[in-house]
Amino acid sequence: MRFSCYGIALGTALLITVTPALADNYTLTLFHTNDLHGRTDQYPQLVTTLNEAREAYGEVLLLDAGDIFSGTLYFTEFAGQDALEFMNLMGYDAFVPGNHEFDLGDPEEGHQALAAFFADAAFPILGANLDFSAAPEFAGMLDESISGDPQSGGLYDGIIVEHNGEPIGIFGLSTQDSKTISSPGQITISDYRQAAEAMVASFEERGVNKIIALTHLGYDSNPSVGNDLLLAQHVEGIDIIIGGHSHTRVSPPTLMTENHKGEPQAPTVIGQAGEYGQHLGVMQVTFDTDGVVQDVSGELLATSEYDADTDALERLEPYTAAIEELRDTQVGATVMSALPNPRHGSGDSRSVRANETALGNLITDAQLYAARKVAPDTMLAIQNSGGIREPVETGDVSVGDLIAVQPFGNRLTLLDVTGAELLETFEIALTNVPDENGGFLQVSAGVELVYDSREPVGERVVSLTITQQAIDPERTYTIATNNFTAAGGDSHAVLGAAYEDGRNTIVGNTDWQMLRDYLVSLGEVTYQVEGRIVDIAERD
């Protein structure tokens, strides 16, 4: 049997021939999902897919590689408890938190929704590079590092489960990117490779020679924060990696047989099932008596090809009724001209993550409008572009429209920063231009940012003015943003330092609600790009 194996260094496909499995070898069957992102309405078909696959394959392990949270009105309304009902119904064996599981982290209250999700889970939660010990809401869930008798809702580095008489070690890894793209708060995230090496050693000391890494790292994501391909190349002893985060359809499974130096090593199999519950991953891995992978096969079963499970549909009905009522509530404003949310990946020459947009202008003006009600001296508002998710079409605006634009429920935060810190913040925002970056900042009315994308990183701001007055590096300014960006999200370390220094006030207005209130104040909404952010490289 032949397998496609992708080498990181060369970026080329290699064909690897694996010795046929022997009769006395052991075969492990896995089902896996990842990155549901609040698509609760996918579960009825996913349940049927799973049930029919179980009939075909028999006893299996069912794993989820994270990002159940965020992305739809289901999540906004139920904070993951709706998805959890279906996950418990399906009988998952293990779950690793993804970065979006930390989206609701609150500087004052911590992760109450995530703690509730864990507490009601009928499966263990794994995170070898996650430390929950400083967050009191998880105190009752912390358990031993590795357990052979894992409890529902318990937090472990890894677990040992029995499958057809064989001990299987499973450990979790979550992306260190969560530090900048989510709100982990008191939850710390350590180096993924060091954690993996420690887990492999611990399992091997216990006589476990079949080891699975359940990861939310991404298949081939940013190498600076790690990915599954790098994990396989740098940490020997991992037999299977079941991943998430990059939303990659890995079919058939990838087989890695060389380390980062190009030297032969024991095979590692990698799988990932795309996104949004559109596929159920199936993987069968055959081991020899020493626990070395000999053979692998796998596929992604498209859930759209299966009828919805009747019981699951009945369970879904009250959740859908509630979100439809919320979705359809009119706010009392009309958008007169469409507010697009362009992205390079969608074929647009301009991007919300690299250019001023009309929608970005509207959102920042809404923040400034809300901020000045409580702090009239607020000078400007900024919005990380990674937090703007969908466009707004013309016509009457509903709550659903606004939550789709800003689904994370971030709260308005005021920060006191010096002019020098503000200038440095915009240098950070411009790091990737003209390429995309979620930390690119949209700005409120009265601000004019002029920059040159041809200049070196850190030297791109040409001028920054507010109501035609140049920013004074020595002066202190009150600015408005969301709590995610204020706490250093999307690499805004300068703002994060000011936040940690106590120069913050969390006002409490939720992002989409601020947008709603501002739209209502306008009644009829017409917004456009007006030169708030200008790259002089485009003029020349």
Side-chain angles (χ1 to χ4, degrees):
M1 186 177 292
R2 290 184 178 271
F3 302 88
S4 178
C5 177
Y6 298 92
I8 275 185
L10 299 178
T12 57
L14 306 175
L15 290 178
I16 305 296
T17 301
V18 179
T19 303
L22 299 176
D24 58 350
N25 286 350
Y26 162 77
T27 298
L28 170 66
T29 303
L30 297 170
F31 295 160
H32 56 97
T33 56
N34 58 276
D35 296 281
L36 266 291
H37 282 290
R39 268 66 173 186
T40 309
D41 53 351
Q42 280 291 113
Y43 279 108
Q45 288 178 292
L46 187 57
V47 168
T48 300
T49 310
L50 174 66
N51 290 342
E52 295 193 15
R54 277 180 169 145
E55 290 181 8
Y57 288 94
E59 184 180 351
V60 300
L61 294 178
L62 177 61
L63 308 175
D64 188 273
D67 274 6
I68 293 296
F69 280 22
S70 290
T72 68
L73 288 177
Y74 285 106
F75 177 74
T76 300
E77 184 73 359
F78 299 108
Q81 289 295 321
D82 51 333
L84 188 61
E85 178 173 348
F86 295 95
M87 293 182 74
N88 288 344
L89 174 69
M90 293 167 67
Y92 278 86
D93 292 287
F95 170 78
V96 61
N99 54 289
H100 282 284
E101 266 67 73
F102 305 121
D103 281 349
L104 296 185
D106 184 275
E108 297 170 351
E109 298 181 3
H111 289 273
Q112 297 303 321
L114 184 57
F117 181 88
F118 289 171
D120 292 337
F123 45 83
I125 291 88
L126 310 183
N129 68 332
L130 296 174
D131 185 352
F132 292 86
S133 61
E137 61 270 27
F138 301 102
M141 305 173 195
L142 300 176
D143 216 311
E144 57 191 314
S145 174
I146 296 178
S147 175
D149 183 27
Q151 302 300 303
S152 296
L155 296 173
Y156 304 91
D157 293 338
I159 59 175
I160 300 172
V161 299
E162 186 177 290
H163 178 269
N164 290 336
E166 293 283 336
I168 310 297
I170 311 173
F171 69 95
L173 295 173
S174 196
T175 178
Q176 291 173 270
D177 237 1
S178 295
K179 298 175 183 178
T180 57
I181 62 176
S182 192
S183 302
Q186 293 177 298
I187 300 164
T188 57
I189 308 169
S190 60
D191 182 83
Y192 76 105
R193 276 162 46 184
Q194 292 179 6
E197 289 168 351
M199 292 306 299
V200 169
S202 294
F203 282 129
E204 290 179 344
E205 288 173 3
R206 291 165 168 80
V208 177
N209 64 7
K210 301 170 188 66
I211 300 173
I212 301 171
L214 182 59
T215 74
H216 196 84
L217 302 175
Y219 178 73
D220 55 359
S221 301
N222 184 353
S224 68
V225 292
N227 58 50
D228 291 335
L229 293 174
L230 286 172
L231 177 65
Q233 289 182 319
H234 283 269
V235 182
E236 193 166 5
I238 300 173
D239 299 298
I240 301 170
I241 299 172
I242 297 297
H245 187 46
S246 57
H247 299 213
T248 309
R249 296 182 185 180
V250 181
S251 183
T254 296
L255 187 71
M256 304 291 290
T257 60
E258 294 182 349
N259 66 17
H260 62 290
K261 297 179 181 178
E263 302 166 340
Q265 69 174 17
T268 301
V269 183
I270 306 175
Q272 190 176 149
E275 63 184 7
Y276 305 154
Q278 295 170 351
H279 293 86
L280 174 70
V282 179
M283 182 186 293
Q284 288 192 296
V285 183
T286 299
F287 299 83
D288 67 14
T289 54
D290 294 321
V292 178
V293 172
Q294 299 296 301
D295 196 9
V296 59
S297 62
E299 61 179 325
L300 301 181
L301 302 178
T303 56
S304 61
E305 297 179 3
Y306 295 81
D307 294 332
D309 179 79
T310 302
D311 175 55
L313 277 177
E314 291 178 357
R315 292 170 181 261
L316 178 66
E317 186 175 346
Y319 295 118
T320 301
I323 68 109
E324 285 179 346
E325 181 178 356
L326 175 65
R327 178 197 65 198
D328 296 338
T329 302
Q330 300 295 306
V331 304
T334 303
V335 170
M336 307 304 291
S337 56
L339 300 168
N341 196 46
R343 290 292 304 275
H344 289 163
S346 301
D348 297 298
S349 60
R350 303 180 70 80
S351 169
V352 64
R353 299 189 181 199
N355 306 98
E356 174 192 351
T357 68
L359 182 54
N361 291 346
L362 175 65
I363 289 171
T364 50
D365 286 357
Q367 287 182 335
L368 188 62
Y369 177 78
R372 283 181 171 170
K373 288 183 177 180
V374 295
D377 59 344
T378 304
M379 293 299 295
L380 76 154
I382 53 177
Q383 167 70 41
N384 66 307
S385 293
I388 306 175
R389 309 301 284 198
E390 296 290 342
V392 180
E393 304 300 333
T394 57
D396 294 339
V397 181
S398 69
V399 169
D401 295 330
L402 302 184
I403 294 178
V405 173
Q406 295 182 287
F408 301 120
N410 288 319
R411 297 191 296 165
L412 178 64
T413 301
L414 305 180
L415 281 176
D416 291 330
V417 297
T418 66
E421 290 173 323
L422 195 55
L423 288 165
E424 190 175 353
T425 291
F426 279 102
E427 290 288 4
I428 292 172
L430 297 171
T431 296
N432 284 47
V433 292
D435 295 331
E436 293 185 322
N437 175 19
F440 183 85
L441 296 174
Q442 303 289 325
V443 299
S444 57
V447 177
E448 183 177 11
L449 170 66
V450 179
Y451 70 95
D452 190 340
S453 61
R454 298 166 297 190
E455 294 298 320
V457 171
E459 302 176 17
R460 291 179 167 172
V461 173
V462 175
S463 63
L464 178 64
T465 61
I466 305 176
T467 58
Q468 299 182 334
Q469 298 294 314
I471 289 291
D472 180 354
E474 303 298 324
R475 180 181 168 185
T476 295
Y477 298 86
T478 298
I479 68 171
T481 188
N482 58 70
N483 60 279
F484 169 72
T485 307
D490 274 337
S491 300
H492 280 292
V494 174
L495 299 182
Y499 187 96
E500 290 297 324
D501 193 39
R503 289 180 275 151
N504 69 83
T505 302
I506 298 178
V507 178
N509 307 58
T510 302
D511 44 21
W512 72 265
Q513 293 173 329
M514 287 187 284
L515 184 55
R516 175 199 60 192
D517 294 345
Y518 184 60
L519 289 172
V520 170
S521 75
L522 296 176
E524 293 186 349
V525 182
T526 301
Y527 256 75
Q528 59 190 4
V529 173
E530 55 190 42
R532 298 183 188 186
I533 304 173
V534 177
D535 181 4
I536 61 175
E538 296 182 354
R539 295 175 173 174
D540 297 341

